[in-house]
Amino acid sequence: MAEWVNATVKQVNNWTDALFSLTVNAPIAPFTAGQFAKLALEIEGERVQRAYSYVNAPRDSDLEFYLVLVPEGKLSPHLYALKPGDQLMVTKDAAGFFILEEIPECETLWMLATGTAIGPYVSILQEGNDLERFSNIVLIHAARYAADLSYLPLMQQLQQRYKGKLRIQTVVSREEMPGSLNGRLPALIASGALEKAVGLPLRAENSHVMLCGNPQMVRDTQQLLKESRGMQKHLRRKPGHMTSEHYW
């Protein structure tokens, strides 16, 4: 059984009508960048809980989560309504294996995200540990609209911090945005447009791909990379080229 602790809302950041971040303080156990926790509220006598990745680096005392408002959802509308000083619950111990120590050494590490799944990558890059194993890191954030790229300014700051090691590329599917690719990630990989924009090859011999986000995107990208690039899912007992997160 998960152990729950009380958390106090410190800040709410409403990025758009549907995207928001919660910053909370809580006495959690240490976690590893890339892991997730569960947030919960008591609603009509029931503890309603959902999993969300940490966006903050593990060393930060402020715990940040990036969420999407699902109007008909059981939990997110209530989380969206929280104000500074309000209480919620968080699991004391984090979970998940979407962490760098599970990733084999390679020349180029590709971090692909859609929507709010940018969170674990931001946590990993803000922490900055164990990244010297990779010559190049590519961070891809795909969203529907330019306004949905909530963490782009922070991504750009991280890019400057890593001085050429980190390349970022945004993808917007429902409008044109200067500097962004337009379309869906699998199609942009299939056409070669993603590699051309980033300036690096995506090959089994030198790359590892982390995938987090829309389950359909994850499945389609895995299938494409398997068929066209000879990449296989990475398992502890059988090393491969693709690692994905599954918690929703």
Side-chain angles (χ1 to χ4, degrees), residues 53 61 74 91 118 161 179-180 182 246:
S53 289
S61 58
K74 293 184 68 175
T91 46
I118 193 69
R161 169 180 158 186
S180 287
N182 180 258
H246 302 282

Side-chain angles (χ1 to χ4, degrees), residues 15-35:
W15 301 101
T16 69
D17 290 342
L19 294 169
F20 65 106
S21 296
L22 287 177
T23 302
V24 307
N25 294 130
I28 63 165
F31 72 94
T32 302
Q35 289 190 306

Side-chain angles (χ1 to χ4, degrees), residues 205-242:
E205 309 89 75
N206 67 353
S207 301
H208 193 94
V209 181
M210 299 177 75
L211 293 158
C212 191
N214 181 282
Q216 191 64 53
M217 179 280 291
V218 172
R219 287 192 294 269
D220 290 350
T221 303
Q222 286 176 330
Q223 189 65 27
L224 172 69
L225 292 175
K226 180 179 179 180
E227 294 176 354
S228 67
R229 311 296 170 97
M231 291 183 160
Q232 301 295 325
K233 288 184 181 181
H234 177 67
L235 303 170
R236 281 182 174 176
R237 64 184 182 274
K238 187 179 179 183
H241 319 93
M242 300 181 288

Side-chain angles (χ1 to χ4, degrees), residues 14-21 66-69 113-119 141-153 155 170-175 177 180:
N14 293 311
W15 301 101
T16 69
D17 290 342
L19 294 169
F20 65 106
S21 296
Y66 185 35
L67 299 84
V68 61
L69 170 64
T114 57
T116 57
I118 193 69
H141 190 197
R144 293 180 179 181
Y145 300 100
D148 298 337
L149 299 169
S150 310
Y151 286 88
L152 181 56
M155 290 164 58
T170 54
V171 177
V172 177
S173 61
R174 297 195 179 180
E175 64 181 1
M177 173 186 170
S180 287

Side-chain angles (χ1 to χ4, degrees), residues 14-171:
N14 293 311
W15 301 101
T16 69
D17 290 342
L19 294 169
F20 65 106
S21 296
L22 287 177
T23 302
V24 307
N25 294 130
I28 63 165
F31 72 94
T32 302
Q35 289 190 306
F36 63 88
K38 289 184 179 179
L39 303 181
L41 289 169
E42 292 284 344
I43 301 171
E44 297 179 358
E46 177 189 0
R47 179 179 292 169
V48 182
Q49 57 184 275
R50 295 289 184 272
Y52 299 101
S53 289
Y54 285 104
V55 178
N56 59 288
R59 63 177 176 270
D60 295 339
S61 58
D62 290 340
L63 311 177
E64 185 176 356
F65 302 92
Y66 185 35
L67 299 84
V68 61
L69 170 64
V70 181
E72 68 278 11
K74 293 184 68 175
L75 181 61
S76 65
H78 297 275
L79 294 174
Y80 185 79
L82 292 174
K83 305 296 182 187
D86 287 345
Q87 300 282 307
L88 68 158
M89 290 170 284
V90 60
T91 46
K92 182 176 181 179
D93 295 304
F97 297 97
F98 200 66
I99 56 178
L100 284 185
E101 64 186 67
E102 296 290 333
I103 305 299
E105 289 192 26
C106 64
E107 183 178 335
T108 302
L109 177 63
W110 295 76
M111 299 174 162
L112 275 58
T114 57
T116 57
I118 193 69
Y121 300 129
V122 174
S123 178
I124 289 169
L125 291 167
Q126 288 192 103
E127 182 70 358
N129 291 341
D130 200 30
L131 293 172
E132 65 279 352
R133 297 190 288 126
F134 313 106
S135 299
N136 307 296
I137 302 167
V138 181
L139 178 61
I140 309 293
H141 190 197
R144 293 180 179 181
Y145 300 100
D148 298 337
L149 299 169
S150 310
Y151 286 88
L152 181 56
L154 178 54
M155 290 164 58
Q156 292 168 333
Q157 290 177 21
L158 290 166
Q159 187 177 31
Q160 293 180 340
R161 169 180 158 186
Y162 286 101
K163 299 177 180 177
K165 187 187 190 81
L166 173 64
R167 306 187 189 197
I168 63 173
Q169 180 62 54
T170 54
V171 177

